[in-house]
Amino acid sequence: MDTERAFYIGRFQPYHLGHHIVIEELSSEIDELVIGVGSAQRSHTITDPFTAGERVVMISKALSGLGIPFYVIPIEDVEYNSLWTAHVRARVPSFSVVYSNNSLVARLFEVAGVEVRALPLFRRDVYSGSEIRRRMLSGENWEELVPECVSQLIHEIDGVGRIQKVAQTDTQAP
Ligand code: NAD
């Protein structure tokens, strides 16, 4: 039987337990997984604080015990949505199915003729990048929303200090 390789993309700002639970669940349905780190060109802003390299490390460490082969590949955005799936295809190992809840991602791959499967959402009210970044800014507990190795990495790079500094700069800008 052919290997079923799937594609899953996110911004992972940061990688959190919602992403993690989904990936662990779908790993029982597929043979290999390609994880695209989207908006790879973005970092050091309130909405996108972490670099592509930092996000690759978060994901790779958190999934070290996944049990199926996986590839974590940064993908820059492109201006033309209509060209995006070809841009993705040119950068990653071939895949036959896409898992996504993002309606734009799903639509673009469907138009390109790729099978798209939806995923369950887990505690979306708190397992969410924007909620985690909000908590980082306000000094609340965010660590409980990410895998332990991700919170360790964010502490090592002073990710909270970074997002707080960027927020000050943004507030002071005219
Ligand atoms: P994200 O990190 O917000 O989410 C990634 C996936 O995780 C999504 O399918 C989302 O539904 C799922 N998820 C989030 N919280 C969850 C939870 N609690 N439980 C279960 N699943 C959860 O990233 P995103 O914004 O969906 O990433 C899409 C990427 O694709 C972006 O970087 C975007 O820029 C890129 N993109 C680029 C173009 C272009 O360049 N033209 C076009 C389309 C998409």
Coordinates of all heavy atoms in Angstrom, one line a residue, residues 20 56-65 70 149-150 152-153 156:
H20 N -1.2 20.5 19.3 CA -0.5 19.3 19.7 C -1.5 18.1 19.8 O -1.2 17.0 19.3 CB 0.2 19.5 21.1 CG 1.2 18.5 21.4 ND1 2.3 18.3 20.7 CD2 1.2 17.6 22.5 CE1 3.0 17.3 21.2 NE2 2.4 16.9 22.3
V56 N 10.1 26.1 14.4 CA 10.6 24.8 14.0 C 11.1 24.0 15.2 O 10.7 22.8 15.4 CB 11.7 24.9 12.9 CG1 12.4 23.6 12.7 CG2 11.1 25.4 11.6
V57 N 11.8 24.7 16.1 CA 12.3 24.0 17.3 C 11.2 23.6 18.2 O 11.1 22.5 18.7 CB 13.4 24.8 18.0 CG1 13.8 24.2 19.3 CG2 14.6 25.1 17.1
M58 N 10.3 24.5 18.4 CA 9.1 24.2 19.3 C 8.4 23.0 18.9 O 8.1 22.1 19.7 CB 8.0 25.4 19.2 CG 8.4 26.6 19.9 SD 7.0 27.8 19.6 CE 7.9 29.4 19.9
I59 N 8.1 22.9 17.6 CA 7.3 21.8 17.0 C 8.1 20.5 17.0 O 7.6 19.5 17.5 CB 6.8 22.1 15.6 CG1 5.9 23.4 15.6 CG2 6.2 21.0 14.9 CD1 5.7 24.0 14.2
S60 N 9.4 20.6 16.6 CA 10.2 19.4 16.5 C 10.4 18.8 17.9 O 10.4 17.6 18.1 CB 11.6 19.7 15.9 OG 11.4 20.4 14.7
K61 N 10.7 19.6 18.9 CA 10.8 19.1 20.3 C 9.6 18.5 20.8 O 9.5 17.4 21.4 CB 11.3 20.2 21.2 CG 12.8 20.5 21.0 CD 13.3 21.4 22.2 CE 14.8 21.5 22.1 NZ 15.4 22.3 23.1
A62 N 8.4 19.2 20.6 CA 7.2 18.7 21.2 C 6.7 17.4 20.6 O 6.1 16.6 21.2 CB 6.1 19.8 21.0
L63 N 7.1 17.2 19.3 CA 6.7 16.0 18.6 C 7.7 14.9 18.5 O 7.6 14.0 17.7 CB 6.2 16.4 17.2 CG 5.0 17.3 17.1 CD1 4.6 17.7 15.7 CD2 3.7 16.6 17.7
S64 N 8.8 15.0 19.4 CA 9.9 14.1 19.2 C 9.4 12.6 19.5 O 10.0 11.7 19.0 CB 11.0 14.4 20.2 OG 10.5 14.4 21.5
G65 N 8.3 12.4 20.2 CA 7.8 11.0 20.4 C 6.6 10.7 19.6 O 5.9 9.8 19.9
F70 N 8.0 12.9 10.5 CA 7.4 14.2 10.2 C 8.5 15.1 9.8 O 9.6 15.0 10.1 CB 6.6 14.7 11.4 CG 7.4 15.0 12.6 CD1 7.9 16.3 12.8 CD2 7.7 14.1 13.6 CE1 8.7 16.6 14.0 CE2 8.5 14.3 14.7 CZ 9.0 15.6 14.9
C149 N 8.0 21.7 26.8 CA 9.2 22.0 26.1 C 9.1 23.4 25.4 O 10.0 24.1 25.2 CB 9.7 20.9 25.2 SG 8.5 20.6 23.9
V150 N 7.9 23.7 25.0 CA 7.6 25.0 24.3 C 7.7 26.1 25.3 O 8.4 27.2 25.1 CB 6.3 25.0 23.6 CG1 5.9 26.4 23.1 CG2 6.2 24.0 22.5
Q152 N 9.5 26.1 28.0 CA 11.0 26.2 28.4 C 11.7 27.0 27.3 O 12.5 27.9 27.6 CB 11.6 24.8 28.4 CG 11.6 24.2 29.8 CD 12.0 22.7 29.8 OE1 12.5 22.2 28.8 NE2 11.7 22.0 30.8
L153 N 11.4 26.7 26.0 CA 12.1 27.4 25.0 C 11.8 28.9 25.0 O 12.6 29.7 24.8 CB 11.7 26.8 23.6 CG 12.3 27.6 22.4 CD1 13.8 27.2 22.2 CD2 11.5 27.3 21.1
E156 N 13.7 30.5 27.6 CA 15.1 30.6 27.2 C 15.4 31.8 26.3 O 16.5 32.4 26.5 CB 15.6 29.3 26.5 CG 16.0 28.2 27.4 CD 16.1 26.8 26.6 OE1 16.4 26.8 25.4 OE2 15.8 25.8 27.2

